[in-house]
């Protein structure tokens, strides 16, 4: 497509990322159009936009994943571009193609690049061809083929969804007898998440780190990298804390991975902003996949580079060259992101649906809050439980950890359980403090945290009951002397 | 002084509460603690227990629709968030002799496999009358695009399958009873 100015952007997403993109539109002076499902009628992103279009009922397949409805909203609003955010239609080549057919710019890679990156097995092949190291693994295969190939690769083996992303459809298989059940789960998840149940196998690495490199390509042959993000703190194969730079990389390793990321991006003809994921095992690194979208954790890169990645996406989509060359990109300080999700960390991080009652947000120097989190927010089972991200920047890593700890101790969310207690634990853990952790950190160490304190829980429960029985208001300013009054009442009763 | 019997999971703990000055003296197993409590926000409290501050959150109870959650059988129930753990607690007024029949009745009804969250039943993997072993997959549920296999907590016979594939279930809803 020729160069053309973008004036109005339809944001084909919801939640915190929709707000993030709307903010970028505001900063650039562009119009912002929201879409919403029935479940999101009162959601923050709807209220933040200039225009909003209802696109269907709550379930994502009937709303945010329905290409004709989204394209129709774009056409009706007169938007000249669509930003897909992450998840939903962000990496769907049919959606990118449908936008292009309507003459609407898709703010992301072209359809053919999305199709290439969406086939993880094909991307692996392309990266290997470009001299980028990859892990031993297979193409997409059926269950019979999987049994044979798993034996060849050796157990434990990892099942991955070919159309994968976001940790969905990934299963570690410890023994041959677990393979069929794991394949069934992986295919079920892949079908539900991506409408595509193809899976492939990859060799399991025991204690790896997950490090990804942010790249940007203008489609004119210019590709730069913007440093890496360390994403090894994961639960359910999903990232929960990310930081930039990675405390594990030496300068030569960082340089080698940056060049490998650019080579992999070039091999698939990448265009726009994207992420090249690697597995790091000591001094060795292996290409995993290219995420052809803006990542959830993009803010840590923004804070250490000073780049607005959404603004870059829009600029590249409009046909402009990259705003900066490689030699102009410098990393400054350290950034950490904690994902605040409606989950119960004490019960296997199980997602929770419910209504957020009250919210107290953190603040202070170097604290950025990206969230769609208001009192009254309904967390529904239709969508991902991610509500917000807290990002801390400081000149050094220890200062960034300290700022983040302080921010999280200020933050309150009531009505649903959140990952905040997990983060407060993780930020104090010696492995995290030393930067010496792998993707097994949460699985190994979270169950070993301080045990449940049943007497203290009983004390708390009894205080709640006592407050009920004696009608102690507890709320300031009545709280002052409230217990004394309760004692008087108790004495009289 | 007010005495409570607090049930946390399988544990029953007797707690005595009495106001002392501006605070409460709360005794568990003969150990007294000074507790100062303040409401911060709806559903959020600050407890200072022997000078150590703790945040205490209360969550809406996860329960099957129609079930009475508050003061059922003279008990009050809360789901509390405390120091990174979530506790389901039931509190009855009085000591052990006042304990309600709730816990005892449960064993006679058999083991219940419940939905951990609201979601969709993707597959029912066991039929009524089937013998199952501990850890055997019984139901696959899906929520927020994640599938989870719910397993038998112990060996037994499937007494009742309460749901069918494709059913929408709420958090805490009983899916299968094992006898």
């Amino acid at each position: 497509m020729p160069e053309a100015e973008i004036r109005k952007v339809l944001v084909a997403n919801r939640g915190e990322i929709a707000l993030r993109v709307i903010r970028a539109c505001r900063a650039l002076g562009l119009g912002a159009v929201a879409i919403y499902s029935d479940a999101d009628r009162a959601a923050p992103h709807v209220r933040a936009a200039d225009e909003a279009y209802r696109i269907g009922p709550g379930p994502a397949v009937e709303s945010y994943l329905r290409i004709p409805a989204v394209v129709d909203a774009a056409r009706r609003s007169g938007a000249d571009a669509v930003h897909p955010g992450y998840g939903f239609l962000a990496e769907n080549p049919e959606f990118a193609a449908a936008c292009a057919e309507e003459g609407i710019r898709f703010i992301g890679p072209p359809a053919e690049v999305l199709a290439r990156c969406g086939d993880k097995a094909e991307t692996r092949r392309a990266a290997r061809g470009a001299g980028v190291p990859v892990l031993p693994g297979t193409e997409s295969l059926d269950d019979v083929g999987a049994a044979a190939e798993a034996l060849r690769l050796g157990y434990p083996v990892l099942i991955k969804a070919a159309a994968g992303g976001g940790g969905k459809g990934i299963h570690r298989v410890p023994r041959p007898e677990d393979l069929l059940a794991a394949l069934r789960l992986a295919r079920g998840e892949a079908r539900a998440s991506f409408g595509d149940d193809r899976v492939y196998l990859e060799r399991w690495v025991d204690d790896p780190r997950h490090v990804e490199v942010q790249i940007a390509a203008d489609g004119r042959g210019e590709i730069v990298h913007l440093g890496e993000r360390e994403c090894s703190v994961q639960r359910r194969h999903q990232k929960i804390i990310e930081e930039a730079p990675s405390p594990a990389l030496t300068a030569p390793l960082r340089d080698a991975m940056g060049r490998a990321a650019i080579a992999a991006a070039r091999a698939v003809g990448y265009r726009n902003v994207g992420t090249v994921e690697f597995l790091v095992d000591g001094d060795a690194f292996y290409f995993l996949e290219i995420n052809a979208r803006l990542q959830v954790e993009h803010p840590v890169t923004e804070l250490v580079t000073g780049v607005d990645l959404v603004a870059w996406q829009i600029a590249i989509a409009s046909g402009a060259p990259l705003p900066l060359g490689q030699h102009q990109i410098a990393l400054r300080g350290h950034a950490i992101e904690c994902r605040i999700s409606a989950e119960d960390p004490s019960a296997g991080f199980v997602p929770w649906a419910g209504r957020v009652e009250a919210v107290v947000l953190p603040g202070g120097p170097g604290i950025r809050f990206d969230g769609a989190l208001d009192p009254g927010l309904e967390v529904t089972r239709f969508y991902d439980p991610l509500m917000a991200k807290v990002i801390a920047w400081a000149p050094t890593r220890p200062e960034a950890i300290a700022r983040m700890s302080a921010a999280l101790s200020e933050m309150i969310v009531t009505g649903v359980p959140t990952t905040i207690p997990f983060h407060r634990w993780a930020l104090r853990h010696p492995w995290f403090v030393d930067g010496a952790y792998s993707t097994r950190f949460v699985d190994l160490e979270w169950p070993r945290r301080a045990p449940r304190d049943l007497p203290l829980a009983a004390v708390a429960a009894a205080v709640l009951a006592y407050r009920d029985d004696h009608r102690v208001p507890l709320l300031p300013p009545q709280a002052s002397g409230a217990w004394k009054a309760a004692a008087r009442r108790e004495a009289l009763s | 002084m007010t005495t409570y019997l607090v049930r946390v999971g399988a544990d029953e703990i007797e707690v005595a509460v009495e106001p002392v000055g501006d605070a409460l003296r709360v005794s568990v197993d003969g150990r007294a603690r000074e507790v100062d409590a303040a409401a911060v926000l709806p559903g959020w409290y600050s407890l200072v227990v022997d000078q150590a501050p703790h945040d205490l959150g209360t969550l809406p109870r996860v329960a099957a629709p129609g079930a009475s959650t508050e003061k059922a059988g003279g008990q009050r129930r809360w789901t509390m968030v405390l120091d990174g753990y979530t506790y389901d607690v039931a509190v009855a007024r009085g000591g052990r002799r006042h304990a309600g029949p709730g816990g005892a009745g449960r064993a006679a009804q058999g083991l219940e496999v419940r939905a951990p969250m609201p979601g969709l039943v993707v597959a029912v993997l066991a039929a009524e009358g089937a013998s199952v072993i501990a850890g055997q997959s019984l139901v696959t549920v899906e929520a927020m695009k994640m599938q989870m296999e719910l397993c038998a907590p112990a060996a037994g016979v499937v007494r009742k399958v309460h749901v069918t594939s494709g059913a929408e279930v709420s958090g805490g809803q009983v899916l299968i009873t094992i006898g």
Side-chain angles (χ1 to χ4, degrees):
Chain A
M1 248 189 241
E3 192 166 340
E5 209 179 330
I6 290 173
R7 295 171 193 278
K8 190 190 231 185
V9 177
L10 179 128
V11 185
N13 216 300
R14 62 178 302 283
E16 68 88 16
I17 193 60
L19 272 184
R20 166 72 188 89
V21 175
I22 291 170
R23 283 174 176 152
C25 293
R26 294 269 180 269
L28 296 166
L30 310 178
V33 181
I35 56 174
Y36 61 93
S37 72
D38 292 341
D40 277 341
R41 172 57 197 91
H45 76 277
V46 180
R47 288 177 280 131
D50 299 316
E51 298 169 38
Y53 292 80
R54 180 190 171 275
I55 49 155
V61 286
E62 297 172 51
S63 49
Y64 297 103
L65 287 171
R66 232 177 84 216
I67 294 174
V70 179
V71 172
D72 183 56
R75 197 187 309 118
R76 279 158 62 204
S77 69
D80 40 32
V82 166
H83 193 299
Y86 52 67
F88 296 133
L89 296 171
E91 292 163 276
N92 186 318
E94 288 160 42
F95 180 56
C99 291
E101 265 167 44
E102 290 288 331
I104 300 164
R105 274 164 201 276
F106 179 78
I107 301 174
E112 63 273 16
V113 174
L114 288 177
R116 219 168 291 141
C117 293
D119 187 332
K120 306 297 173 194
E122 185 182 337
T123 341
R124 275 167 51 91
R125 217 164 30 235
R128 194 171 50 211
V132 176
V134 300
L135 277 172
T138 70
E139 307 281 313
S140 299
L141 35 60
D142 61 16
D143 289 3
V144 177
E149 289 294 320
L151 280 179
R152 185 179 65 82
L153 289 168
Y155 283 88
V157 75
L158 206 60
I159 303 175
K160 287 187 160 184
K168 300 197 172 109
I170 298 184
H171 287 267
R172 174 180 178 272
V173 188
R175 298 163 307 184
E177 55 265 41
D178 304 317
L179 183 66
L180 282 179
L183 282 167
R184 190 174 67 217
L185 276 181
R187 289 192 198 280
E189 275 177 30
R191 202 179 307 118
S193 300
F194 317 112
D196 176 349
D197 68 358
R198 288 175 306 140
V199 298
Y200 65 100
L201 303 180
E202 207 168 72
R203 175 175 289 172
W204 169 260
V205 178
D206 226 11
D207 216 13
R209 301 180 73 113
H210 180 117
V211 180
E212 59 188 27
V213 177
Q214 178 71 57
I215 55 118
D218 63 5
R220 308 170 171 203
E222 204 58 48
I223 307 181
V224 298
H225 75 83
L226 295 104
E228 81 282 3
R229 292 184 288 261
E230 167 68 64
C231 306
S232 299
V233 183
Q234 303 184 355
R235 48 80 179 90
R236 298 190 317 241
H237 299 292
Q238 282 186 322
K239 302 157 192 171
I240 184 162
I241 301 179
E242 302 92 352
E243 51 181 326
S246 165
L249 296 198
T250 58
L253 191 54
R254 174 170 297 120
D255 192 45
M257 287 176 65
R259 278 185 279 114
I262 289 172
R266 200 176 297 284
V268 298
Y270 203 84
R271 177 175 171 171
N272 212 293
V273 161
T275 295
V276 184
E277 293 194 336
F278 294 96
L279 203 143
V280 175
D281 187 15
D283 284 337
F285 63 91
Y286 304 97
F287 170 88
L288 287 179
E289 61 184 54
I290 299 180
N291 295 136
R293 62 169 187 272
L294 186 71
Q295 301 274 96
V296 176
E297 59 274 23
H298 73 277
V300 293
T301 297
E302 295 188 320
L303 292 186
V304 295
T305 58
V307 164
D308 181 334
L309 286 170
V310 180
W312 276 38
Q313 287 187 297
I314 295 170
I316 295 167
S318 72
L322 290 179
L324 297 176
Q326 189 68 62
H327 65 282
Q328 294 168 296
I329 297 167
L331 305 183
R332 189 176 145 265
H334 197 93
I336 301 174
E337 172 183 279
C338 290
R339 299 191 188 191
I340 313 298
S341 288
E343 294 176 16
D344 185 352
S346 70
F349 296 92
V350 58
W352 196 281
R355 184 187 174 86
V356 172
E357 299 288 339
V359 177
V360 176
L361 296 184
I367 298 298
R368 166 172 164 183
F369 182 83
D370 277 24
L373 178 53
D374 285 340
L377 177 79
E378 289 283 351
V379 181
T380 71
R381 66 172 194 83
F382 298 128
Y383 316 117
D384 193 278
L386 179 70
M387 298 182 291
K389 305 169 321 200
V390 178
I391 312 105
W393 181 92
T396 66
R397 186 170 184 270
E399 291 165 286
I401 293 175
R403 281 181 174 176
M404 180 64 90
S405 295
L408 292 179
S409 66
E410 293 166 16
M411 188 172 176
I412 299 175
V413 179
T414 76
V416 295
T418 73
T419 47
I420 294 172
F422 164 81
H423 290 302
R424 293 176 65 176
W425 166 87
L427 294 169
R428 283 194 309 265
H429 192 286
W431 294 9
F432 188 85
V433 171
D434 295 344
Y437 58 87
S438 75
T439 51
R440 298 176 69 198
F441 171 48
V442 178
D443 287 344
L444 289 177
E445 288 298 297
W446 177 240
R448 294 181 51 215
R449 69 198 186 280
R452 285 164 27 121
D453 186 342
L454 290 182
L456 183 67
V459 165
V463 169
L464 290 176
Y466 187 85
R467 160 187 157 272
D468 247 19
D469 289 343
H470 299 277
R471 296 179 302 280
V472 182
L474 283 188
L475 268 170
Q478 300 96 312
S480 168
W483 299 117
K484 257 183 202 155
R488 281 197 296 276
R489 275 201 299 275
E490 191 177 2
L492 289 172
S493 64
Chain B
M1 190 191 310
T2 312
T3 312
Y4 295 100
L5 189 66
V6 179
R7 184 159 45 227
V8 190
D11 292 88
E12 285 190 336
I13 300 167
E14 214 171 72
V15 187
V17 183
E18 68 180 313
V20 176
D22 276 335
L24 293 174
R25 179 176 296 141
V26 184
S27 304
V28 176
D29 291 335
R31 187 183 150 197
R33 306 168 203 231
E34 298 296 320
V35 181
D36 194 356
V40 181
L41 291 163
W44 200 261
Y45 306 87
S46 167
L47 298 186
V48 176
V49 182
D50 289 341
Q51 269 61 61
H54 298 268
D55 280 344
L56 169 68
T58 56
L59 299 172
R61 285 275 305 166
V62 176
S68 171
T69 55
E70 292 291 315
K71 305 204 173 183
Q75 291 189 342
R76 277 151 297 173
R77 294 169 176 276
W78 284 280
T79 300
M80 307 188 309
V81 176
L82 180 67
D83 294 340
Y85 283 97
T86 305
Y87 298 90
D88 278 316
V89 295
V91 185
R93 189 108 181 229
R96 273 183 213 289
R97 64 204 156 84
H98 298 293
R106 190 161 288 174
Q109 294 164 11
L111 290 165
E112 291 168 337
V113 176
R114 291 166 182 266
M117 56 188 157
L120 182 76
V121 175
V122 177
V124 178
L125 307 169
E128 281 177 17
S131 292
V132 295
I133 58 169
Q136 182 174 337
S137 298
L138 301 179
V139 183
T140 308
V141 291
E142 180 184 312
M144 294 165 181
K145 294 186 187 173
M146 262 174 313
Q147 292 197 358
M148 192 173 311
E149 295 214 337
L150 304 178
C151 302
V157 174
V158 176
R159 283 280 148 77
K160 181 84 185 145
V161 177
H162 304 271
V163 290
T164 53
S165 183
E168 297 256 353
V169 293
S170 53
Q173 185 173 338
V174 178
L175 308 180
I176 281 188
T177 309
I178 300 171

